[in-house]
Amino acid sequence: MAFTSAWSVSAHDDGFINNALAPRLLPLIAAERGDPLARERWDRWRREPLPDFRTWWKPFGRSERQEADALNSFHELTASGEHVQKMYGGLSPEDDFCLLTHVWDLATDEGDLFLSVQSKEFALRSFFHAIGPVRAALIPGWCGNFLLPSAEVRQTLPAIERALDFTAEERAVAEEQDWLDYRDGEESVLDGPLRMWRQAAGDGRGLCGVAVVIY
């Protein structure tokens, strides 16, 4: 089935984080994190990290081992969750606040937004597989979705650097396991999040991370 997904990390002032985003996004992230099935999938991935993606991945989301429970569990874990997905098109008829017009469009400075848009694939899925569960566990929030005011950005930066600041050898291994195709000059999932964290920490701003299906 054809679909397009996006994973974004955007920088915002604390007033916008606390007043506009927190009441809307935090309950959705909590609902995703509190789902027992989601927690089971996370724990399974930590126990059973997947092997080299070239043994099971095929373009457009197909796999040679779709019947494998561990693989299916990881696919479900790293797909857009039904709760946070509401951020893309508007939370309700009474509240049309949505990710596209009320969050992404605010990033008038190119450096204030990391956005990975993928056709028939999830950026977060490749990112998580490339860095593995130990590093992924250092990222706050749930499965690429997070909301942090500036103080928490500074507080979590050391953990993010442990997760995403690689030695040359570690970087080579991670790049080999990131199956996304990048256009010339496009920022990879291995670079964008760390850049955003460091930049936001230096600027005294908060961060919003959201993984959704666009259509």
Side-chain angles (χ1 to χ4, degrees), residues 53 56-57 74 78 118 121-132 174-175 177-182 189-190:
F53 81 91
W56 52 264
W57 182 87
F74 178 70
T78 52
Q118 301 295 325
E121 189 52 85
F122 292 96
L124 181 78
R125 179 173 295 162
S126 184
F127 172 67
F128 266 20
H129 177 70
I131 68 173
E175 286 180 344
Q177 292 305 307
D178 174 14
W179 60 76
L180 300 177
D181 292 325
Y182 297 104
V189 291
L190 298 176

Side-chain angles (χ1 to χ4, degrees), residues 21-39 81-87 140-147 209-210:
L21 284 174
R24 295 178 169 95
L25 183 55
L26 288 181
L28 303 179
I29 296 175
E32 301 279 5
R33 189 182 190 103
D35 182 349
L37 186 54
R39 298 296 312 180
E82 62 177 312
H83 298 287
V84 173
Q85 179 63 34
K86 298 173 185 176
M87 281 293 294
W142 180 252
C143 290
N145 301 298
F146 50 82
L147 186 68
V210 183

Side-chain angles (χ1 to χ4, degrees), residues 130-152:
I131 68 173
V134 174
R135 290 176 183 267
L138 296 172
I139 300 172
W142 180 252
C143 290
N145 301 298
F146 50 82
L147 186 68
L148 307 172
S150 59
E152 292 184 30

